[in-house]
Amino acid sequence: MSAPLSADTETFAPPAPPRPGSLSDLATYRRLHAESLANPDKFWPEQIAEFHWFKQPDHAFTGKGPEARWFPGGRANLAFNALDRHILAGRGDTLALIWESEAVAADRQPREVRRYTYTQLRDEVVRLASALSALGVQSGDRVTIYLPIVPELPIAMLACAWLGAAHNVVFAGFPSQALLDRIEDSGSHVVITADGGWRNGKVVPLKPILDEALNRTALVRHVVVLRHTGSPIELRAGRDHLWSELVASGDPAHPPAQVPSGHPSFLMYTSGSTGKPKGIAHGTAGYLVHTGLTARHAFDLHPGDVVWCTADPAWITGHTYTVYGPLLAGATTVIYEGILSSPDWDRAWDIIARHRPQVLYTTPTLVRAWIRHGETGLRQRDLSSLRLLASVGEPIGPSVWRWFREVVGAGRTPVVDTWWQTEAGAAMIFPFPYATPAKPGSASLPFFGVQPALVGADGREVVGAGSGQLVIKSPWPGMLLGIWNNPQRYRATYWETIPGFFLTGDTARRDADGYFWVLGRADDVIKVNGHRLGTAEIEGAIVAHASVAESAVVGVPDEQVGEAVLAFVVLKSGYEADDTTRAAIVREIETQVGKLARPREIRFLESLPKNRSGKILRRLLREYAITGKVSGDVSTLDDSTALPPAAPSA
Ligand code: WT7
């Protein structure tokens, strides 16, 4: 029996688990969670037994704060666990991956569908690993991957993991500047790319963008090029190699690296409150365990299940739950090449009807888009395979949550709202689908080993119900190793603001039942379409334009993308505040940061509101942008004429 919950909000009782073995009551969850924190050395050995260890770890973790390391003494390989473990268990013929192209024929069927069993996928992975090894890639190296959403993207990731090289996947929508920054900061000597990718029916060039970046660095010795779109490319002799030719001579018996638990497995660059994106580095064993266990506990994935996570593997959600999570669980991951409005907004329902996933994991932004585009197409498709729905990336409002469950899940499915972040590695706060009563809009309760807490404005921990900055009080398995190349920034950003606690950058509320309600970012990070953008990064691009004297960027609530970018710009004298200048500024943002950062609006001001020490008052700008007025305490404002008194007419 579950402990009763307070009746302050509507709760949805968890359904009975469809299979034996799932956690099915809240009291057991609470007991296990408490045990995971109180006695980690007793709790974790049992939990990690299902994974393959070349050497068993000595402890759950050692050290604290930024120095904590998980499963010390152990040796493992992420790709071996994701592939060979299942093959050795006799599941080599189970489908590991289904991929479909964006392009469709007149009957809406995709032009191309590729399926890989675990045995086939392993063969591709190990042959590429052997080819990379022949190019000189070794354990401990970094390899940058700049690929569209094709099966070769997970294959490349897994091949790196096979060798113990850290992959650094760069989103295929990024411009050459962002790509160059990530290649250089990671110190990659090898880059894996494609001629191009398909997006919204058009070819997006990739190799030419990489070439532009490589013209400005001598770091890269080898480039592996996948032929995908057939678009024109130049190959530089000695440096550039065709994927197909390399793997033809790859050795399918190349052995996996037996790396220590704390060995870096990947870097993922993400925005913070300063101008430069930071390379979040993850380890091996902690990430493996956290990802593998949450694949089952949050999403109920078992061998042979089919899951569709709509996230691009170039972001952390895709790393963890499009690639590693499903494969660690022995499930089948569905991967879609393109955008979900192609050929129209019914594409998602076609994909579900075609591949029959039990689990759909997506973002509130997408669910809102589906709501806007109506239910007709959805109701014409067979979505009866769906057993569990899940959400991530931004707060999912209660009404969106309910629509998701009622309409997509036909009122039968649990909705698992998962809170986590790039730094976390895997899901941190989520309801156990068959044990935790769900409250729409709340990510609910922490996973095993995760100890979230709230810190109030007075710097003290909030006890019981209340709100504050969301922090994590003790090391958790999937926690980052640090910021690549920058231990100093790592400590300063995450561990020194509230000494001893990990600062998530979010604010949250906890209710009387201990449920967490994540409210949003507390720092200068904007969540557009679930992606993180740093205001300082965008401002840096704006002021790089010759016309701009100063700029401030804020995030404002947006029905379509969650939060939208709004840029305030002060021009140098002699420049016109007109659409030509606007267009030039937008181009600057797109070439430096990428199209994701394209502002919804650019507003010109005579000056920016600042306090007496010259700090830009973004709070005022944001309030002004949203309400058209400025209220509250403006006594620190240096120049009260910086903002017009009322909202400008449209
Ligand atoms: C930030 C992390 C790993 C997830 C993909 C994004 C926000 C994430 C939720 C949620 C409310 C959420 C937070 C967090 N966020 N999940 N369920 N409810 N907000 O990873 O790019 O590192 O962003 O996304 O603000 O800090 P990310």
Side-chain angles (χ1 to χ4, degrees), residues 317 392-395 417-422 506 521 527 532:
T317 307
V392 68
E394 38 173 327
D417 177 9
T418 60
W419 177 89
W420 55 295
Q421 36 183 209
T422 303
D506 281 351
R521 298 290 305 190
K527 296 278 338 220
R532 245 153 101 166

Side-chain angles (χ1 to χ4, degrees), residues 129-150:
S130 132
L132 291 174
S133 160
L135 292 180
V137 175
Q138 292 179 2
S139 180
D141 288 356
R142 282 79 53 211
V143 173
T144 291
I145 300 176
Y146 187 56
L147 283 172
I149 310 173
V150 288

Side-chain angles (χ1 to χ4, degrees), residues 329-622:
T332 308
T333 183
V334 174
I335 300 186
Y336 168 58
E337 175 181 33
I339 62 170
L340 280 167
S341 53
S342 175
D344 54 43
W345 278 101
D346 289 331
R347 181 60 180 260
W349 322 129
D350 285 340
I351 291 174
I352 293 167
R354 201 155 30 238
H355 305 302
R356 307 201 53 76
Q358 283 90 45
V359 177
L360 170 65
Y361 189 26
T362 192
T363 62
T365 284
L366 263 173
V367 181
R368 286 192 306 270
W370 289 327
I371 294 174
R372 273 200 310 281
H373 289 91
E375 296 168 22
T376 318
L378 182 161
R379 297 205 183 274
Q380 289 162 350
R381 311 297 197 283
D382 177 7
L383 308 185
S384 63
S385 65
L386 293 174
R387 187 181 68 212
L388 188 151
L389 304 176
S391 167
V392 68
E394 38 173 327
I396 180 166
S399 66
V400 174
W401 192 102
R402 284 193 198 91
W403 183 91
F404 198 24
R405 183 178 188 279
E406 282 313 312
V407 179
V408 179
R412 314 172 263 110
T413 57
V415 171
V416 179
D417 177 9
T418 60
W419 177 89
W420 55 295
Q421 36 183 209
T422 303
E423 294 85 344
M428 298 283 274
I429 303 180
F430 60 84
F432 278 64
Y434 310 116
T436 312
K439 301 187 187 189
S442 168
S444 79
L445 301 168
F447 182 55
F448 303 147
V450 176
Q451 194 178 15
L454 301 171
V455 173
D458 58 1
R460 272 200 284 217
E461 192 178 335
V462 176
V463 181
S467 58
Q469 303 220 57
L470 182 63
V471 299
I472 312 292
K473 276 178 79 170
S474 52
W476 67 97
M479 71 186 282
L480 68 171
L481 295 174
I483 297 179
W484 188 253
N485 266 341
N486 208 338
Q488 153 68 25
R489 184 176 175 191
Y490 176 48
R491 280 193 301 275
T493 309
Y494 296 103
W495 298 96
E496 282 166 7
T497 314
I498 299 164
F501 293 174
F502 176 86
L503 190 71
T504 67
D506 281 351
T507 52
R509 176 170 79 80
R510 182 171 47 209
D511 69 18
D513 300 313
Y515 278 49
F516 286 89
W517 301 72
V518 175
L519 305 171
R521 298 290 305 190
D523 55 6
D524 295 326
V525 168
I526 308 178
K527 296 278 338 220
V528 179
N529 208 341
H531 299 308
R532 245 153 101 166
L533 291 171
T535 52
E537 242 177 289
I538 307 173
E539 288 162 3
I542 295 175
V543 298
H545 192 259
S547 66
V548 177
E550 266 193 309
S551 163
V553 163
V554 298
V556 290
D558 181 280
E559 160 61 22
Q560 302 213 0
V561 291
E563 263 190 308
V565 175
L566 204 148
F568 292 93
V569 171
V570 178
L571 292 176
K572 290 180 188 157
S573 62
Y575 288 92
E576 287 298 318
D578 59 13
D579 285 346
T580 312
T581 309
R582 277 200 179 85
I585 292 171
V586 169
R587 263 198 311 280
E588 195 71 52
I589 296 171
E590 289 187 353
T591 50
Q592 291 206 31
V593 188
K595 287 201 166 65
L596 289 175
R598 197 193 177 97
R600 185 177 75 185
E601 199 187 329
I602 294 177
R603 288 196 203 169
F604 296 109
L605 292 178
E606 291 297 316
S607 64
L608 297 175
K610 292 182 188 154
N611 67 13
R612 291 192 182 98
S613 51
K615 188 177 177 318
I616 296 173
L617 297 168
R618 284 200 184 69
R619 178 188 66 79
L620 290 189
L621 284 169
R622 195 164 179 271

Side-chain angles (χ1 to χ4, degrees), residues 173-466:
F174 275 145
S176 68
Q177 183 62 51
L179 175 59
L180 177 64
D181 291 346
R182 287 159 174 78
I183 289 171
E184 289 196 312
D185 189 77
S186 66
S188 298
H189 298 306
V190 173
V191 179
I192 304 177
T193 191
D195 45 8
W198 288 102
R199 199 176 160 79
N200 205 13
K202 289 194 280 287
V203 171
V204 181
L206 294 173
K207 178 63 163 63
I209 294 175
L210 174 64
D211 287 342
E212 240 179 84
L214 295 190
N215 284 338
R216 289 183 280 151
T217 177
L219 193 64
V220 174
R221 299 183 199 129
H222 294 287
V223 177
V224 179
V225 187
L226 176 76
R227 272 295 190 185
H228 177 56
T229 54
S231 41
I233 49 168
E234 282 168 25
L235 294 179
R236 185 192 286 184
R239 185 193 70 186
D240 300 350
H241 317 269
L242 285 178
W243 177 303
S244 55
E245 288 171 14
L246 277 188
V247 299
S249 56
D251 172 12
H254 194 95
Q258 305 191 4
V259 301
S261 295
H263 187 79
S265 63
F266 67 88
L267 307 185
M268 165 71 53
Y269 283 81
T270 190
S271 298
S273 33
T274 67
K276 221 165 97 58
K278 46 197 174 186
I280 302 300
H282 277 282
T284 297
Y287 178 78
L288 156 75
V289 168
H290 197 161
T291 299
L293 293 181
T294 50
R296 197 171 60 250
H297 287 298
F299 307 118
D300 190 33
L301 287 179
H302 292 254
D305 286 353
V306 181
V307 50
W308 181 30
C309 168
T310 60
D312 184 335
W315 305 107
I316 190 69
T317 307
H319 266 48
T320 301
Y321 297 112
T322 305
V323 180
Y324 287 113
L327 298 179
L328 288 170
T332 308
T333 183
V334 174
I335 300 186
Y336 168 58
E337 175 181 33
I339 62 170
L340 280 167
S341 53
S342 175
D344 54 43
W345 278 101
D346 289 331
R347 181 60 180 260
W349 322 129
D350 285 340
I351 291 174
I352 293 167
R354 201 155 30 238
H355 305 302
R356 307 201 53 76
Q358 283 90 45
V359 177
L360 170 65
Y361 189 26
T362 192
T363 62
T365 284
L366 263 173
V367 181
R368 286 192 306 270
W370 289 327
I371 294 174
R372 273 200 310 281
H373 289 91
E375 296 168 22
T376 318
L378 182 161
R379 297 205 183 274
Q380 289 162 350
R381 311 297 197 283
D382 177 7
L383 308 185
S384 63
S385 65
L386 293 174
R387 187 181 68 212
L388 188 151
L389 304 176
S391 167
V392 68
E394 38 173 327
I396 180 166
S399 66
V400 174
W401 192 102
R402 284 193 198 91
W403 183 91
F404 198 24
R405 183 178 188 279
E406 282 313 312
V407 179
V408 179
R412 314 172 263 110
T413 57
V415 171
V416 179
D417 177 9
T418 60
W419 177 89
W420 55 295
Q421 36 183 209
T422 303
E423 294 85 344
M428 298 283 274
I429 303 180
F430 60 84
F432 278 64
Y434 310 116
T436 312
K439 301 187 187 189
S442 168
S444 79
L445 301 168
F447 182 55
F448 303 147
V450 176
Q451 194 178 15
L454 301 171
V455 173
D458 58 1
R460 272 200 284 217
E461 192 178 335
V462 176
V463 181

